[in-house]
Amino acid sequence: MVLGGGALVTSERVPLFELDPELAGLLAGRDRAAAGAAALVELSDLPVGGWSVTDQSAPVAGFLVVRGCLTREISVLGQTMTLDFLAHGDVLHTSVEPVMTSVPSQSAWSVLEPTRLALLDAALLTAIQPWPQVTAALLRRQERRCGWLADVLAISHLPRVESKILVLFWLFADRWGHRTGQGVKVPIPLTHLNIARLVGAQRPTVTTAIGQLVAGGVLTHVAGGHWTLYGDPPQSLER
């Protein structure tokens, strides 16, 4: 299989459960051992930059993000308006495009950091048929993405940009963050422009708001482009 955007695809199939222990935890005993031996996937490694894949080369059930993160920029009337974000544990289908047909729109994928995808192809779906829990879990991953997009949309309607950004980072923290003695680390390399597109604001406004959050001691930008949150999540707009 050949994927676009400089992707490198393994020819050897590897155990899916080793890549995603959460899926392995759905089964126990002999079922877990049997499913672990049967559920094998090819891997695709994506370099940083643009990424494209044709419908003909995409696996039938899409991709599972094993590590890294990538975005899909959605443009309307030639203007980039919003951003779709995916990282570890997400399932994505590259064939899902904006549904608008009367108004010109398009989308473009970008890889924010070196990313590894597991190819959820027909061979895998056949192999896991005896264990419907695994198939159902992969479907729930897609539903979780729908919930994520709804949350981001809700955040974009908050009244103040500082509130939008802070709540957005806590959304990222709930999904991918981990708490340390120095705060909650959010290992996502978001740029000010990406944040602006997620919350529905202009980049200069976002830069100013982030500066205020940093000065207030609730957010810092750390090495590698990642972020750290301090204190507790906001419980009201007044905070």
Side-chain angles (χ1 to χ4, degrees):
M1 181 180 294
V2 178
L3 301 178
L8 299 177
V9 181
T10 63
S11 57
E12 180 181 358
R13 301 181 73 87
V14 300
L16 175 63
F17 286 0
E18 291 183 5
L19 303 171
D20 197 315
E22 182 180 332
L23 294 176
L26 298 171
L27 304 172
R30 293 181 179 179
D31 279 341
R32 181 170 181 172
L40 304 176
V41 294
E42 289 183 313
L43 298 176
S44 175
D45 289 320
L46 308 181
V48 173
W51 178 52
S52 62
V53 56
T54 65
D55 292 347
Q56 290 74 28
S57 64
V60 62
F63 302 88
L64 172 68
V65 183
V66 177
R67 68 164 182 254
C69 52
L70 58 163
T71 63
R72 182 175 63 136
E73 294 182 351
I74 300 174
S75 301
V76 180
L77 298 177
Q79 179 72 38
T80 299
M81 301 302 296
T82 189
L83 195 71
D84 190 4
F85 181 90
L86 301 101
H88 171 70
D90 283 332
V91 172
L92 69 106
H93 285 271
T94 56
S95 60
V96 178
E97 296 295 328
V99 298
M100 287 181 287
T101 56
S102 299
V103 177
S105 63
Q106 61 183 2
S107 64
W109 290 94
S110 297
V111 181
L112 299 188
E113 61 184 8
T115 296
R116 171 163 287 185
L117 305 177
L119 281 59
L120 306 178
D121 55 16
L124 173 71
L125 297 185
T126 300
I128 62 177
Q129 281 182 351
W131 305 280
Q133 307 97 306
V134 179
T135 303
L138 292 173
L139 291 174
R140 286 195 297 272
R141 298 284 182 90
Q142 298 180 46
E143 294 174 358
R144 182 172 64 188
R145 280 203 61 220
C146 293
W148 165 273
L149 293 173
D151 288 340
V152 172
L153 178 61
I155 289 170
S156 71
H157 288 280
L158 288 171
R160 298 173 61 246
V161 176
E162 293 89 343
S163 298
K164 295 180 181 183
I165 296 171
L166 186 57
V167 175
L168 178 74
F169 270 106
W170 278 107
L171 180 63
F172 275 93
D174 288 341
R175 180 71 175 82
W176 293 288
H178 54 275
R179 187 172 291 278
T180 71
Q182 289 75 44
V184 180
K185 294 190 178 298
V186 182
I188 304 297
L190 287 172
T191 66
H192 289 198
L193 181 59
N194 286 342
I195 295 168
R197 288 172 175 168
L198 283 165
V199 302
Q202 297 297 314
R203 188 201 58 76
T205 304
V206 166
T207 296
T208 299
I210 288 176
Q212 293 172 347
L213 292 171
V214 170
V218 297
L219 181 69
T220 58
H221 194 202
V222 298
H226 298 169
W227 301 80
T228 300
L229 282 164
Y230 302 95
D232 298 320
Q235 301 300 310
S236 67
L237 286 177
E238 287 72 18
R239 287 193 62 192

